[in-house]
Amino acid sequence: MEANQNKLKILLNKVPELTIFFWIVKVLCTTVGETFADFLNFSLGFGLTLTTIIMGIAFFIVLILQFKATKYVPGIYWLTVVLISVFGTLVTDNLTDNVGIPLETSTVVFSVLLGLTFLLWYLSEKTLSIHSIYTKKREVFYWLTILFTFALGTAVGDLFSEQLGLGYLLTGTTVVIIIACVFLAWKFLKLDGILAFWIAYILTRPLGASLGDYLSQPKTNGALGLGTTVTSVIFLIAILAIIVFLAVTKFDATSKNETAETNQVNGSKNKVLTQTVVVLCIFLFVGIGGYVGLSNKIASQTDSTQATLAGQLTDFIKIESDMLNFVNSNDFVSAKKGADDLEHQWDTFEPKLRKIDGKTWTQIDGTIDAVLAAVRSGKPVASQSKSALTNSLSIINGANK
């Protein structure tokens, strides 16, 4: 009887086996989450709110299909991951750009929500293993956890790469080093496998986002300048190819003669709890230490007597004024080049300007996003571009006085 129940659990397991393909597709999905959201927001000119609504509806539709499936189906599962990656990214972006919530606050809130989800999941099911996702309750906990990991990863990644000026490449490199340390700790220091998995899973979000930004952002931003369209297409094709391979070969399907993992492994519960506390302390020490260090570096470069952005925005006024002239002349090629320059300069000075007046910076950031979306649209409309530029110039001029 027990053997038959274990077999049933395995047949109904809703997630893939942990192979190299799992991690490759996970990073690819995360990268697409970053670039495809930017593609809809800026390249197609949907704007942040409409993009969030569209992707939110698509995500919930596919999530319903995932819940209705009776076993792991590569196409449905990974499409859900792609869409939850996009939606999780947009949740954080909306909180930052539309609501004006600081990234520090988002990081703390999503960390707490993720921690509470893990706690409730474990108290309810006595395991956090993804090899035991064979009930609706566990699947709810699983996808809620995934959503919070993407939202948290977005907040942490943006906080360090943009707000604190660490940059895309350096942020990505740092995350790779941390993941490598986690792998070595699991391999040689007997770090709990489930704990190691979730640490790596969370960290692949800022890794994929940094990779996506590094590939897609303009060369003036220190990136490769492939654009969000090209980057999204390349990674979507790669994801599709791997999913087809997995669907045909069933390489990542759980073996039928294995026993479902229902308990924590690698030692006693006390050992796992001790490891979890130690890991949390290390991440808090490194994370807070890095944040304080970078913040102090920015503070040393900022005039402590400067209380407003007055006199700090002249270059942005000139860039947008030139863009408005180009739009009035229907020269959208030059206007789009101006948009690249505007984005680069704004990202470069973000740490300094945000430190002086975060509230005003957030307000201007929203108008600049609207400008970039209007000008970079596949078929830009002159009236929309003029309106976005006029509104942005009005706010920037007011803040610069």
Side-chain angles (χ1 to χ4, degrees):
M1 182 68 177
E2 185 177 353
N4 290 334
Q5 288 179 341
N6 282 336
K7 183 177 180 180
L8 178 62
K9 290 176 181 179
I10 289 169
L11 291 175
L12 295 180
N13 195 36
K14 303 287 290 292
V15 299
E17 190 62 56
L18 294 183
T19 67
I20 184 63
F21 292 104
F22 176 92
W23 294 109
I24 292 174
V25 179
K26 171 59 169 63
V27 174
L28 293 176
C29 289
T30 301
T31 303
V32 167
E34 184 74 14
T35 60
F36 193 64
D38 287 344
F39 170 72
L40 293 175
N41 187 10
F42 297 121
S43 298
L44 296 186
F46 285 2
L48 188 57
T49 301
L50 181 58
T51 299
T52 304
I53 294 173
I54 292 173
M55 297 313 300
I57 293 173
F59 162 58
F60 284 110
I61 291 174
V62 176
L63 186 63
I64 291 173
L65 296 177
Q66 169 65 22
F67 273 104
K68 285 187 174 182
T70 58
K71 62 180 181 179
Y72 163 62
V73 181
I76 297 177
Y77 175 86
W78 286 112
L79 180 58
T80 307
V81 174
V82 170
L83 292 176
I84 201 172
S85 172
V86 178
F87 185 66
T89 297
L90 291 168
V91 167
T92 300
D93 288 345
N94 271 278
L95 291 175
T96 304
D97 297 338
N98 287 345
V99 184
I101 295 177
L103 286 169
E104 294 90 343
T105 302
S106 297
T107 298
V108 173
V109 170
F110 285 127
S111 295
V112 172
L113 290 175
L114 180 59
L116 288 175
T117 303
F118 277 134
L119 179 62
L120 293 175
W121 183 358
Y122 185 77
L123 291 176
S124 173
E125 304 299 315
K126 307 306 179 187
T127 180
L128 300 178
S129 171
I130 70 165
H131 293 130
S132 61
I133 310 299
Y134 48 73
T135 68
K136 293 298 182 184
K137 181 189 290 187
R138 292 186 180 187
E139 195 169 11
V140 169
F141 278 123
Y142 176 75
W143 288 110
L144 191 60
T145 300
I146 301 304
L147 176 61
F148 287 144
T149 62
F150 279 116
L152 174 60
T154 300
V156 174
D158 289 350
L159 176 62
F160 280 88
S161 65
E162 296 179 6
Q163 182 169 318
L164 297 178
L166 200 59
Y168 307 127
L169 183 59
L170 187 54
T171 298
T173 303
T174 302
V175 173
V176 168
I177 293 173
I178 296 174
I179 292 176
C181 291
V182 172
F183 173 78
L184 293 174
W186 168 73
K187 192 74 173 178
F188 300 107
L189 301 179
K190 296 184 178 181
L191 178 66
D192 180 69
I194 296 175
L195 176 61
F197 166 80
W198 283 114
I199 294 172
Y201 199 98
I202 295 170
L203 290 174
T204 52
R205 174 56 187 80
L207 172 61
S210 298
L211 176 61
D213 284 333
Y214 182 68
L215 292 173
S216 63
Q217 292 297 312
K219 292 182 179 179
T220 52
N221 280 17
L224 296 184
L226 297 180
T228 56
T229 304
V230 174
T231 303
S232 297
V233 169
I234 291 174
F235 279 75
L236 283 172
I237 291 175
I239 292 171
L240 180 61
I242 296 176
I243 289 176
V244 170
F245 169 77
L246 295 175
V248 172
T249 64
K250 301 188 184 302
F251 185 79
D252 63 341
T254 307
S255 175
K256 292 184 180 181
N257 61 1
E258 292 179 8
T259 301
E261 190 176 354
T262 57
N263 294 299
Q264 297 285 10
V265 295
N266 291 344
S268 65
K269 293 180 181 179
N270 289 336
K271 180 180 178 181
V272 175
L273 178 60
T274 301
Q275 289 183 353
T276 303
V277 172
V278 170
V279 168
L280 284 175
C281 290
I282 292 174
F283 273 94
L284 285 173
F285 176 78
V286 174
I288 295 175
Y291 173 79
V292 172
L294 291 171
S295 295
N296 289 338
K297 180 180 178 181
I298 294 171
S300 66
Q301 298 171 348
T302 304
D303 186 356
S304 59
T305 63
Q306 185 82 31
T308 68
L309 297 180
Q312 302 288 316
L313 306 173
T314 304
D315 290 343
F316 301 105
I317 294 173
K318 184 179 186 309
I319 293 173
E320 288 200 351
S321 296
D322 290 342
M323 289 176 63
L324 183 58
N325 291 333
F326 290 135
V327 170
N328 287 329
S329 303
N330 285 321
D331 184 2
F332 279 96
V333 173
S334 298
K336 289 182 179 180
K337 290 181 179 178
D340 290 344
D341 189 26
L342 175 64
E343 183 178 30
H344 169 62
Q345 293 295 332
W346 189 244
D347 288 345
T348 299
F349 286 92
E350 175 180 350
K352 176 183 176 181
L353 299 178
R354 200 166 190 165
K355 187 75 174 179
I356 295 173
D357 186 349
K359 183 177 180 180
T360 303
W361 181 93
T362 300
Q363 182 183 18
I364 296 173
D365 185 59
T367 69
I368 288 180
D369 282 346
V371 168
L372 297 178
V375 174
R376 287 175 171 171
S377 174
K379 293 182 179 179
V381 179
S383 60
Q384 293 179 354
S385 299
K386 290 178 184 177
S387 176
L389 282 163
T390 301
N391 178 56
S392 185
L393 278 168
S394 174
I395 292 176
I396 295 176
N397 273 308
N400 199 48
K401 294 179 180 178

